[in-house]
Protein backbone atom coordinates (compact mmCIF):
# COMPACT_ATOMS: atom_id res chain seq x y z
CA UNK A 1 0.00 0.00 0.00
CA UNK A 2 0.86 3.67 -0.23
CA UNK A 3 2.02 3.92 3.36
CA UNK A 4 4.35 0.97 3.02
CA UNK A 5 5.85 2.19 -0.23
CA UNK A 6 6.20 5.64 1.33
CA UNK A 7 8.12 4.06 4.18
CA UNK A 8 10.29 2.18 1.72
CA UNK A 9 10.99 5.37 -0.17
CA UNK A 10 11.99 7.04 3.06
CA UNK A 11 14.20 4.21 4.22
CA UNK A 12 15.89 3.94 0.84
CA UNK A 13 16.40 7.70 0.96
CA UNK A 14 18.03 7.29 4.35
CA UNK A 15 19.95 4.35 2.95
CA UNK A 16 21.29 6.51 0.14
CA UNK A 17 22.16 9.31 2.56
CA UNK A 18 23.96 6.85 4.76
CA UNK A 19 25.83 5.42 1.83
CA UNK A 20 26.90 8.85 0.61
CA UNK A 21 28.07 9.74 4.13
CA UNK A 22 30.09 6.56 4.55
CA UNK A 23 31.53 7.03 1.06
CA UNK A 24 32.70 10.50 2.13
CA UNK A 25 34.22 9.05 5.29
CA UNK A 26 36.02 6.42 3.26
CA UNK A 27 37.46 8.99 0.85
CA UNK A 28 38.49 11.22 3.74
CA UNK A 29 40.30 8.31 5.40
CA UNK A 30 41.95 7.33 2.12
CA UNK A 31 43.05 10.93 1.48
CA UNK A 32 44.95 10.91 4.77
CA UNK A 33 46.74 7.80 3.56
CA UNK A 34 47.30 9.44 0.17
CA UNK A 35 49.06 12.38 1.83
CA UNK A 36 51.16 10.09 4.00
CA UNK A 37 52.06 7.67 1.19
CA UNK A 38 52.76 10.27 -1.48
CA UNK A 39 49.88 9.35 -3.80
CA UNK A 40 49.12 12.90 -4.94
CA UNK A 41 50.53 14.36 -8.15
CA UNK A 42 50.61 17.91 -9.43
CA UNK A 43 49.97 18.52 -13.12
CA UNK A 44 50.39 21.83 -14.88
CA UNK A 45 48.22 23.31 -17.61
CA UNK A 46 49.71 26.15 -19.68
CA UNK A 47 47.93 29.47 -20.17
CA UNK A 48 48.99 31.21 -23.37
CA UNK A 49 48.82 34.63 -25.00
CA UNK A 50 47.76 35.47 -28.57
CA UNK A 51 51.12 34.32 -29.92
CA UNK A 52 51.02 31.01 -28.08
CA UNK A 53 53.65 31.99 -25.50
CA UNK A 54 53.15 30.47 -22.07
CA UNK A 55 52.32 33.32 -19.66
CA UNK A 56 51.47 31.13 -16.69
CA UNK A 57 50.69 27.56 -15.68
CA UNK A 58 47.92 26.28 -13.43
CA UNK A 59 48.71 23.59 -10.88
CA UNK A 60 46.00 20.89 -10.87
CA UNK A 61 46.10 18.07 -8.35
CA UNK A 62 45.50 14.40 -9.22
CA UNK A 63 45.27 11.39 -6.96
CA UNK A 64 47.14 8.32 -8.07
CA UNK A 65 44.93 5.86 -6.22
CA UNK A 66 46.46 2.39 -5.70
CA UNK A 67 43.30 0.64 -6.99
CA UNK A 68 41.33 3.25 -8.90
CA UNK A 69 44.18 4.78 -10.87
CA UNK A 70 44.19 8.51 -11.57
CA UNK A 71 41.30 10.16 -9.72
CA UNK A 72 40.07 13.60 -10.80
CA UNK A 73 40.00 16.46 -8.27
CA UNK A 74 36.31 16.99 -9.02
CA UNK A 75 35.76 13.70 -7.16
CA UNK A 76 37.72 14.45 -4.02
CA UNK A 77 38.26 18.21 -3.59
CA UNK A 78 34.63 18.86 -2.53
CA UNK A 79 34.87 16.03 0.03
CA UNK A 80 38.27 17.21 1.25
CA UNK A 81 36.79 20.68 1.62
CA UNK A 82 33.90 19.36 3.69
CA UNK A 83 36.02 17.21 5.98
CA UNK A 84 38.75 19.79 6.49
CA UNK A 85 41.58 17.70 5.10
CA UNK A 86 41.71 20.26 2.27
CA UNK A 87 43.97 22.30 4.58
CA UNK A 88 46.68 19.63 4.59
CA UNK A 89 46.08 18.84 0.95
CA UNK A 90 46.28 22.55 0.12
CA UNK A 91 49.60 22.86 1.93
CA UNK A 92 50.94 19.87 -0.01
CA UNK A 93 49.86 21.51 -3.28
CA UNK A 94 51.45 24.82 -2.32
CA UNK A 95 54.70 23.15 -1.21
CA UNK A 96 54.93 21.07 -4.39
CA UNK A 97 54.12 24.05 -6.61
CA UNK A 98 56.80 26.14 -4.89
CA UNK A 99 59.40 23.39 -5.32
CA UNK A 100 58.47 23.03 -9.00
CA UNK A 101 58.56 26.80 -9.45
CA UNK A 102 62.18 26.82 -8.29
CA UNK A 103 62.97 23.96 -10.69
CA UNK A 104 61.24 25.86 -13.49
CA UNK A 105 63.34 28.95 -12.76
CA UNK A 106 66.38 26.66 -13.07
CA UNK A 107 65.26 25.94 -16.64
CA UNK A 108 63.93 29.29 -17.80
CA UNK A 109 65.40 31.97 -15.52
CA UNK A 110 63.77 35.36 -15.92
CA UNK A 111 61.44 34.00 -18.59
CA UNK A 112 59.76 31.61 -16.12
CA UNK A 113 55.97 31.84 -16.19
CA UNK A 114 54.11 32.21 -12.90
CA UNK A 115 52.47 29.21 -11.26
CA UNK A 116 48.81 29.50 -10.28
CA UNK A 117 47.54 27.53 -7.31
CA UNK A 118 43.85 27.00 -6.58
CA UNK A 119 42.86 28.08 -3.11
CA UNK A 120 39.76 26.52 -1.61
CA UNK A 121 37.27 28.68 0.29
CA UNK A 122 38.27 27.03 3.54
CA UNK A 123 41.98 27.67 2.97
CA UNK A 124 41.27 31.25 2.07
CA UNK A 125 39.37 31.84 5.31
CA UNK A 126 42.14 30.37 7.46
CA UNK A 127 43.56 33.03 9.81
CA UNK A 128 47.12 31.78 9.30
CA UNK A 129 47.01 31.84 5.50
CA UNK A 130 49.50 34.66 5.07
CA UNK A 131 52.05 32.99 7.38
CA UNK A 132 51.47 29.59 5.79
CA UNK A 133 52.07 30.87 2.26
CA UNK A 134 55.13 32.84 3.33
CA UNK A 135 56.63 29.92 5.28
CA UNK A 136 56.04 27.35 2.53
CA UNK A 137 57.53 29.58 -0.15
CA UNK A 138 60.54 30.27 2.09
CA UNK A 139 61.21 26.50 2.57
CA UNK A 140 62.11 26.16 -1.11
CA UNK A 141 63.18 29.79 -1.64
CA UNK A 142 60.38 30.25 -4.19
CA UNK A 143 59.82 33.88 -5.19
CA UNK A 144 56.32 35.01 -4.14
CA UNK A 145 56.27 37.32 -7.15
CA UNK A 146 55.87 34.28 -9.42
CA UNK A 147 53.10 32.76 -7.35
CA UNK A 148 49.50 33.41 -8.29
CA UNK A 149 46.51 32.31 -6.25
CA UNK A 150 43.15 31.47 -7.86
CA UNK A 151 40.16 32.21 -5.68
CA UNK A 152 36.48 31.87 -6.55
CA UNK A 153 33.85 34.53 -6.10
CA UNK A 154 32.25 32.35 -3.42
CA UNK A 155 35.28 32.37 -1.13
CA UNK A 156 35.44 36.16 -1.25
CA UNK A 157 31.83 36.89 -0.56
CA UNK A 158 31.18 35.76 2.99
CA UNK A 159 33.52 38.36 4.44
CA UNK A 160 34.54 40.84 1.78
CA UNK A 161 36.46 43.19 4.08
CA UNK A 162 38.55 40.35 5.49
CA UNK A 163 39.11 38.91 2.02
CA UNK A 164 40.37 42.29 0.83
CA UNK A 165 42.82 42.66 3.72
CA UNK A 166 44.14 39.09 3.33
CA UNK A 167 44.66 39.63 -0.37
CA UNK A 168 46.26 43.02 0.15
CA UNK A 169 48.74 41.58 2.66
CA UNK A 170 49.74 38.79 0.26
CA UNK A 171 49.80 41.20 -2.68
CA UNK A 172 52.23 43.39 -0.74
CA UNK A 173 54.53 40.35 -0.56
CA UNK A 174 54.33 39.93 -4.33
CA UNK A 175 51.60 37.30 -4.66
CA UNK A 176 49.25 37.76 -7.62
CA UNK A 177 45.54 36.95 -7.65
CA UNK A 178 43.03 35.72 -10.23
CA UNK A 179 39.32 35.19 -9.82
CA UNK A 180 38.52 31.66 -10.94
CA UNK A 181 35.32 30.35 -12.56
CA UNK A 182 34.19 33.92 -13.08
CA UNK A 183 30.49 34.27 -13.85
CA UNK A 184 29.34 31.22 -11.91
CA UNK A 185 29.17 32.89 -8.48
CA UNK A 186 27.45 35.98 -7.23
CA UNK A 187 29.92 38.65 -8.07
CA UNK A 188 29.34 42.09 -6.89
CA UNK A 189 30.91 44.36 -9.44
CA UNK A 190 31.29 46.96 -6.69
CA UNK A 191 33.84 44.91 -4.75
CA UNK A 192 35.58 43.59 -7.84
CA UNK A 193 37.28 46.95 -8.30
CA UNK A 194 38.31 47.03 -4.64
CA UNK A 195 40.14 43.70 -4.75
CA UNK A 196 43.86 43.50 -5.51
CA UNK A 197 43.10 41.21 -8.45
CA UNK A 198 44.52 41.74 -11.92
CA UNK A 199 42.99 38.80 -13.81
CA UNK A 200 39.66 37.06 -14.14
CA UNK A 201 39.21 33.58 -15.55
CA UNK A 202 36.02 33.13 -17.54
CA UNK A 203 34.43 29.86 -16.48
CA UNK A 204 34.63 27.08 -19.02
CA UNK A 205 30.86 26.53 -18.84
CA UNK A 206 30.44 29.74 -20.91
CA UNK A 207 33.37 29.03 -23.20
CA UNK A 208 32.80 25.42 -24.28
CA UNK A 209 29.69 26.22 -26.41
CA UNK A 210 30.33 29.90 -27.05
CA UNK A 211 30.03 29.42 -30.84
CA UNK A 212 26.60 27.78 -30.75
CA UNK A 213 24.94 29.15 -27.62
CA UNK A 214 23.85 32.78 -27.92
CA UNK A 215 23.44 33.16 -24.17
CA UNK A 216 26.99 31.98 -23.54
CA UNK A 217 28.29 34.31 -26.26
CA UNK A 218 26.43 37.20 -24.65
CA UNK A 219 27.80 36.42 -21.20
CA UNK A 220 31.36 36.08 -22.51
CA UNK A 221 31.12 39.39 -24.37
CA UNK A 222 29.71 41.12 -21.30
CA UNK A 223 32.51 39.77 -19.09
CA UNK A 224 35.18 40.82 -21.62
CA UNK A 225 33.74 44.29 -21.88
CA UNK A 226 33.41 44.71 -18.12
CA UNK A 227 36.98 43.47 -17.56
CA UNK A 228 38.30 45.89 -20.15
CA UNK A 229 36.57 48.81 -18.44
CA UNK A 230 37.90 47.78 -15.04
CA UNK A 231 41.41 47.27 -16.42
CA UNK A 232 41.47 43.53 -15.66
CA UNK A 233 43.15 40.90 -17.82
CA UNK A 234 41.01 38.00 -19.02
CA UNK A 235 41.76 34.30 -19.37
CA UNK A 236 39.24 31.99 -21.02
CA UNK A 237 39.16 28.45 -19.62
CA UNK A 238 38.04 25.44 -21.64
CA UNK A 239 39.28 26.54 -25.08
CA UNK A 240 39.03 23.33 -27.09
CA UNK A 241 39.23 24.56 -30.69
CA UNK A 242 40.92 27.14 -32.86
CA UNK A 243 37.49 28.53 -33.75
CA UNK A 244 36.73 29.29 -30.11
CA UNK A 245 40.22 30.76 -29.70
CA UNK A 246 39.60 33.03 -32.71
CA UNK A 247 36.15 34.06 -31.47
CA UNK A 248 37.64 35.08 -28.12
CA UNK A 249 40.71 36.67 -29.66
CA UNK A 250 38.71 39.00 -31.90
CA UNK A 251 36.67 40.06 -28.88
CA UNK A 252 39.72 41.04 -26.89
CA UNK A 253 40.21 38.11 -24.55
CA UNK A 254 43.86 38.34 -23.43
CA UNK A 255 44.82 34.76 -22.62
CA UNK A 256 43.64 31.20 -23.20
CA UNK A 257 43.72 27.88 -21.41
CA UNK A 258 42.32 24.64 -22.73
CA UNK A 259 42.78 21.33 -24.45
CA UNK A 260 43.30 23.05 -27.81
CA UNK A 261 46.66 24.25 -26.50
CA UNK A 262 47.46 21.59 -23.96
CA UNK A 263 46.02 19.22 -21.40
CA UNK A 264 47.42 19.43 -17.88
CA UNK A 265 51.01 18.08 -18.09
CA UNK A 266 53.57 16.43 -15.85
CA UNK A 267 56.45 18.70 -14.87
CA UNK A 268 58.74 17.12 -17.50
CA UNK A 269 56.19 17.56 -20.29
CA UNK A 270 55.55 21.10 -19.15
CA UNK A 271 59.23 21.98 -19.52
CA UNK A 272 59.20 20.57 -23.07
CA UNK A 273 55.99 22.49 -23.88
CA UNK A 274 57.42 25.80 -22.67
CA UNK A 275 60.65 25.22 -24.60
CA UNK A 276 58.70 24.57 -27.77
CA UNK A 277 56.26 27.43 -27.39
CA UNK A 278 58.98 29.97 -26.71
CA UNK A 279 60.92 28.86 -29.79
CA UNK A 280 58.27 29.49 -32.42
CA UNK A 281 54.96 31.29 -32.50
CA UNK A 282 52.08 28.84 -32.07
CA UNK A 283 49.97 30.35 -34.85
CA UNK A 284 52.66 29.56 -37.40
CA UNK A 285 53.34 26.16 -35.86
CA UNK A 286 49.69 25.19 -36.21
CA UNK A 287 49.52 26.39 -39.77
CA UNK A 288 52.40 24.12 -40.74
CA UNK A 289 50.91 21.00 -39.12
P1 LIG B 1 39.54 24.88 -12.15
O1 LIG B 1 40.45 25.54 -11.19
O2 LIG B 1 38.53 25.75 -12.79
O3 LIG B 1 40.50 24.19 -13.22
C1 LIG B 1 40.20 24.06 -14.57
C2 LIG B 1 39.66 22.69 -14.90
O4 LIG B 1 39.28 22.67 -16.27
C3 LIG B 1 40.67 21.56 -14.73
O5 LIG B 1 39.96 20.39 -14.32
C4 LIG B 1 41.19 21.39 -16.16
O6 LIG B 1 41.77 20.11 -16.40
C5 LIG B 1 39.90 21.57 -16.92
N1 LIG B 1 40.12 21.94 -18.33
C6 LIG B 1 41.17 22.62 -18.83
N2 LIG B 1 41.03 22.84 -20.16
C7 LIG B 1 39.86 22.25 -20.51
C8 LIG B 1 39.17 22.12 -21.77
O7 LIG B 1 39.60 22.59 -22.82
N3 LIG B 1 37.99 21.45 -21.74
C9 LIG B 1 37.46 20.94 -20.59
N4 LIG B 1 36.31 20.30 -20.67
N5 LIG B 1 38.09 21.05 -19.39
C10 LIG B 1 39.28 21.70 -19.35
P2 LIG B 1 40.49 19.45 -13.17
O8 LIG B 1 41.98 19.36 -13.21
O9 LIG B 1 39.69 18.21 -13.21
O10 LIG B 1 40.13 20.26 -11.86
C11 LIG B 1 38.79 20.52 -11.52
C12 LIG B 1 38.68 21.50 -10.41
O11 LIG B 1 39.21 20.94 -9.19
C13 LIG B 1 39.46 22.79 -10.61
O12 LIG B 1 38.75 23.66 -11.44
C14 LIG B 1 39.57 23.28 -9.20
O13 LIG B 1 38.39 23.92 -8.79
C15 LIG B 1 39.71 21.99 -8.42
N6 LIG B 1 41.15 21.75 -8.14
C16 LIG B 1 42.10 21.16 -8.89
N7 LIG B 1 43.29 21.15 -8.26
C17 LIG B 1 43.09 21.77 -7.08
C18 LIG B 1 43.94 22.08 -5.95
O14 LIG B 1 45.14 21.83 -5.94
N8 LIG B 1 43.35 22.73 -4.89
C19 LIG B 1 42.02 23.06 -4.89
N9 LIG B 1 41.52 23.70 -3.81
N10 LIG B 1 41.21 22.80 -5.91
C20 LIG B 1 41.73 22.16 -7.00
MG1 LIG C 1 41.57 27.18 -11.24
MG1 LIG D 1 38.18 27.54 -13.28
MG1 LIG E 1 36.16 25.02 -12.19
Amino acid sequence: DAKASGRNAISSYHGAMHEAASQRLKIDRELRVALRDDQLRLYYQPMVDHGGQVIGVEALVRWLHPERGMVSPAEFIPIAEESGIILELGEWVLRTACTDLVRLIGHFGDATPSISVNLSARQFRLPGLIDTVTAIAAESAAPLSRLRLEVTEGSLLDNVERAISTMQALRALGVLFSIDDFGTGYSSLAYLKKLPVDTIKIDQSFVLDVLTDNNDAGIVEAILSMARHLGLATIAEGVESVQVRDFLMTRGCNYFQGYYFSRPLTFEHLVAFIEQSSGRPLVAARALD
Side-chain angles (χ1 to χ4, degrees), residues 43-44 46 104 108 262-276:
Y43 277 56
Y44 295 97
L104 218 49
F108 301 107
S262 172
R263 300 218 163 223
L265 304 168
T266 61
F267 181 84
E268 284 70 26
H269 284 112
L270 174 71
V271 169
F273 186 92
I274 297 173
E275 270 167 4
Q276 233 192 358

Coordinates of all heavy atoms in Angstrom, one line a residue, residues 43-44 46 104 108 262-276:
Y43 N 49.8 18.3 -11.7 CA 50.0 18.5 -13.1 C 49.9 20.0 -13.4 O 49.4 20.8 -12.6 CB 48.8 17.8 -13.9 CG 49.2 16.3 -14.1 CD1 49.5 15.5 -13.0 CD2 49.2 15.8 -15.4 CE1 49.8 14.1 -13.2 CE2 49.5 14.4 -15.6 CZ 49.8 13.6 -14.5 OH 50.1 12.3 -14.7
Y44 N 50.4 20.4 -14.6 CA 50.4 21.8 -14.9 C 49.8 22.1 -16.3 O 50.2 21.4 -17.2 CB 51.8 22.4 -14.8 CG 52.4 22.3 -13.4 CD1 53.2 21.2 -13.1 CD2 52.1 23.3 -12.5 CE1 53.7 21.1 -11.8 CE2 52.6 23.2 -11.2 CZ 53.4 22.1 -10.9 OH 53.9 22.1 -9.6
P46 N 49.2 24.8 -19.2 CA 49.7 26.2 -19.7 C 48.6 27.1 -20.0 O 47.5 26.7 -20.4 CB 50.4 25.8 -21.0 CG 50.7 24.4 -21.0 CD 49.6 23.8 -20.2
L104 N 61.6 25.2 -12.2 CA 61.2 25.9 -13.5 C 62.2 27.1 -13.7 O 62.6 27.3 -14.9 CB 59.8 26.3 -13.4 CG 58.9 26.2 -14.7 CD1 59.0 24.9 -15.3 CD2 57.5 26.5 -14.3
F108 N 64.3 28.1 -17.0 CA 63.9 29.3 -17.8 C 64.3 30.7 -17.3 O 64.1 31.7 -17.9 CB 62.4 29.3 -18.1 CG 62.0 28.0 -18.8 CD1 61.3 27.0 -18.1 CD2 62.3 27.8 -20.1 CE1 60.9 25.9 -18.7 CE2 61.9 26.6 -20.7 CZ 61.2 25.7 -20.1
S262 N 46.8 22.7 -24.7 CA 47.5 21.6 -24.0 C 46.6 21.1 -22.8 O 45.9 21.9 -22.2 CB 48.8 22.1 -23.4 OG 49.3 21.1 -22.5
R263 N 46.6 19.8 -22.6 CA 46.0 19.2 -21.4 C 46.9 19.5 -20.2 O 48.1 20.0 -20.4 CB 45.9 17.7 -21.6 CG 45.0 17.3 -22.7 CD 44.2 16.1 -22.4 NE 43.1 16.1 -23.4 CZ 41.8 15.8 -23.2 NH1 41.5 15.5 -21.9 NH2 40.9 15.8 -24.1
P264 N 46.5 19.3 -19.0 CA 47.4 19.4 -17.9 C 48.6 18.4 -18.1 O 48.3 17.3 -18.5 CB 46.5 19.1 -16.7 CG 45.1 19.4 -17.1 CD 45.1 19.1 -18.6
L265 N 49.8 18.9 -17.8 CA 51.0 18.1 -18.1 C 51.8 17.7 -16.8 O 51.8 18.5 -15.8 CB 51.9 18.9 -19.0 CG 51.3 19.4 -20.3 CD1 52.2 20.4 -21.0 CD2 51.1 18.2 -21.3
T266 N 52.6 16.7 -16.9 CA 53.6 16.4 -15.8 C 54.6 17.5 -15.9 O 54.8 18.2 -17.0 CB 54.3 15.1 -16.1 OG1 54.9 15.1 -17.3 CG2 53.3 13.9 -16.0
F267 N 55.4 17.7 -14.9 CA 56.4 18.7 -14.9 C 57.4 18.6 -16.1 O 57.7 19.6 -16.8 CB 57.2 18.6 -13.6 CG 58.3 19.7 -13.5 CD1 58.0 21.0 -13.0 CD2 59.6 19.4 -13.9 CE1 59.0 22.0 -13.0 CE2 60.6 20.4 -13.8 CZ 60.3 21.7 -13.4
E268 N 57.8 17.3 -16.4 CA 58.7 17.1 -17.5 C 58.1 17.5 -18.8 O 58.8 18.2 -19.7 CB 59.2 15.6 -17.6 CG 60.2 15.2 -16.5 CD 59.6 15.2 -15.1 OE1 58.4 15.0 -14.9 OE2 60.4 15.4 -14.1
H269 N 56.9 17.2 -19.0 CA 56.2 17.6 -20.3 C 56.0 19.1 -20.3 O 56.0 19.7 -21.4 CB 54.9 16.8 -20.5 CG 55.1 15.4 -20.9 ND1 54.8 14.3 -20.1 CD2 55.6 14.8 -22.0 CE1 55.1 13.2 -20.7 NE2 55.6 13.5 -21.9
L270 N 55.7 19.7 -19.2 CA 55.6 21.1 -19.1 C 56.8 21.8 -19.6 O 56.8 22.8 -20.4 CB 55.2 21.6 -17.7 CG 55.1 23.1 -17.5 CD1 53.9 23.7 -18.3 CD2 55.1 23.5 -16.1
V271 N 57.9 21.4 -19.1 CA 59.2 22.0 -19.5 C 59.4 21.9 -21.0 O 59.7 22.9 -21.7 CB 60.4 21.3 -18.8 CG1 61.7 21.7 -19.4 CG2 60.4 21.6 -17.3
A272 N 59.1 20.7 -21.6 CA 59.2 20.6 -23.1 C 58.2 21.5 -23.8 O 58.6 22.1 -24.8 CB 58.9 19.1 -23.4
F273 N 57.0 21.6 -23.3 CA 56.0 22.5 -23.9 C 56.4 24.0 -23.9 O 56.3 24.7 -24.9 CB 54.6 22.4 -23.2 CG 53.5 23.1 -23.8 CD1 52.7 22.4 -24.8 CD2 53.3 24.4 -23.6 CE1 51.7 23.1 -25.4 CE2 52.2 25.1 -24.2 CZ 51.4 24.4 -25.1
I274 N 57.0 24.4 -22.8 CA 57.4 25.8 -22.7 C 58.6 26.0 -23.6 O 58.6 27.1 -24.3 CB 57.8 26.2 -21.2 CG1 56.6 26.1 -20.3 CG2 58.4 27.6 -21.2 CD1 56.9 26.3 -18.8
E275 N 59.5 25.1 -23.7 CA 60.7 25.2 -24.6 C 60.2 25.4 -26.0 O 60.6 26.3 -26.8 CB 61.5 24.0 -24.5 CG 62.6 24.1 -23.5 CD 63.3 22.8 -23.1 OE1 63.0 21.8 -23.8 OE2 64.1 22.8 -22.2
Q276 N 59.2 24.5 -26.4 CA 58.7 24.6 -27.8 C 57.9 25.9 -28.1 O 58.1 26.5 -29.1 CB 57.7 23.4 -27.9 CG 58.1 22.5 -29.1 CD 56.9 21.6 -29.4 OE1 55.9 21.6 -28.7 NE2 57.1 20.8 -30.5

